[in-house]
Amino acid sequence: MKAFFPTNRQGIVIDVIVVACNLLIFPLFAARVGNLFNESFADNSQAFMTLAGVMLFILAGRLIGLYLKRFPLQARLADSADGSFPLVFFIFSVPLIILTAAFVMVLFSAISADVGLTDAGVGGAPKESRAVAYLGTLLIFVLTAAEGYLLYKLGKPLNDHEKEMRSRGIWIYSPVAELLADFGLFAYMMIWQVFYHQVAETLLLSPDGRPVPADMKIISIFFLAVSFILFYVAPRAVFLIEDRKYWGTWLLITLVFLSSIVRYWF
């Protein structure tokens, strides 16, 4: 009889932490952190720079995490046929990486004005520059391609050289390396959870702060479920390489979704 939960507990731990955050942490702090998003889109340049810096941090954590995760992951899957990456989740990852890279591009544009590469306009905002726009677009493409390549490599078995490195005990196969990888992947996922809760609040609460009428909840839940796949399941998909075939995994992911809407329901 196939086990209900995977023997590797990383995905389980992440789901349990997020359920706890949905029930205990986000009700207290999500609004404050979410204001950073709101102020950023309201032309608050300082808030936008702070948010762009956060996005640069989590993007770096994501890319480094994807790189480091492959080695211990594929070492465990050496004798398994389940090492392929579920491509459908990568498709959902594309909008997130493009949006994250766009924030980084804006940060690059602002820094270029600070160091004098481009002129600054009123209020310190960088003036439009064709060269900076081209470089920023190229940066978005490069970062998106980098994630796509790392995701592709994530599901590829170790080659002979990498197996020889493993036999020599290279540190990238160690638990410390995987812990660093998981931290970067988890930080990326949790920042997008803040954004997801902003979407949930918009869809499930009326402007006066009360839950939307019952006849609107079904429609709202449908669109929120799509947002949940985008902002939670897609970033978590790295761990689905190992645990997607277990019923317990999907039960916990369902509990994560339910825990994210319960405070907006009543």
Side-chain angles (χ1 to χ4, degrees):
M1 182 178 178
K2 186 168 67 175
F4 193 73
F5 286 107
T7 55
N8 188 285
R9 304 298 183 185
Q10 294 158 323
I12 295 175
V13 171
I14 286 174
D15 291 331
V16 171
I17 290 175
V18 176
V19 168
C21 288
N22 286 339
L23 296 176
L24 303 174
I25 305 299
F26 280 120
L28 297 176
F29 299 107
R32 298 179 185 178
V33 179
N35 284 337
L36 185 61
F37 285 94
N38 295 334
E39 292 176 11
S40 297
F41 293 113
D43 295 328
N44 183 328
S45 59
Q46 187 61 44
F48 199 100
M49 288 291 289
T50 301
L51 179 59
V54 171
M55 302 305 270
L56 176 61
F57 170 77
I58 65 167
L59 179 58
R62 169 77 169 176
L63 296 179
I64 293 172
L66 288 175
Y67 173 76
L68 290 177
K69 185 70 175 178
R70 174 174 174 261
F71 300 102
L73 170 67
Q74 287 300 331
R76 288 195 297 270
L77 296 177
D79 299 321
S80 172
D82 295 326
S84 60
F85 187 81
L87 184 61
V88 64
F89 299 118
F90 169 63
I91 294 173
F92 280 101
S93 295
V94 172
L96 285 191
I97 186 61
I98 292 176
L99 183 56
T100 309
F103 275 104
V104 176
M105 186 270 284
V106 173
L107 181 62
F108 165 74
S109 177
I111 292 174
S112 69
D114 288 341
V115 300
L117 294 178
T118 58
D119 295 329
V122 178
K127 292 182 178 180
E128 292 186 7
S129 166
R130 182 172 297 180
V132 172
Y134 285 151
L135 287 174
T137 303
L138 178 62
L139 178 63
I140 293 175
F141 175 80
V142 168
L143 292 174
T144 303
E147 170 158 333
Y149 175 74
L150 290 172
L151 284 171
Y152 165 77
K153 288 290 290 183
L154 192 67
K156 301 297 289 184
L158 301 175
N159 58 37
D160 292 339
H161 174 65
E162 290 165 339
K163 290 177 181 177
E164 190 270 334
M165 291 172 59
R166 179 192 177 194
S167 67
R168 290 192 283 117
I170 301 297
W171 77 274
I172 56 177
Y173 293 90
S174 69
V176 173
E178 187 162 22
L179 182 62
L180 289 174
D182 290 343
F183 175 79
L185 297 170
F186 181 72
Y188 179 85
M189 184 177 66
M190 290 306 292
I191 291 297
W192 284 116
Q193 280 303 282
V194 176
F195 193 83
Y196 164 75
H197 277 271
Q198 297 296 108
V199 175
E201 183 174 328
T202 301
L203 290 175
L204 294 177
L205 294 182
S206 302
D208 59 4
R210 292 184 298 178
V212 297
D215 58 343
M216 294 181 58
K217 283 183 177 178
I218 295 178
I219 298 176
S220 296
I221 287 296
F222 171 77
F223 286 106
L224 189 60
V226 175
S227 299
F228 181 76
I229 293 173
L230 178 65
F231 293 120
Y232 185 77
V233 178
R236 191 202 180 286
V238 172
F239 303 97
L240 291 176
I241 292 178
E242 292 184 275
D243 59 15
R244 68 186 186 275
K245 61 184 178 180
Y246 298 95
W247 285 104
T249 297
W250 298 104
L251 173 62
L252 283 175
I253 290 176
T254 301
L255 290 177
V256 172
F257 177 66
L258 294 176
S259 68
S260 73
I261 65 175
V262 64
R263 68 188 179 98
Y264 302 113
W265 194 260
F266 302 103

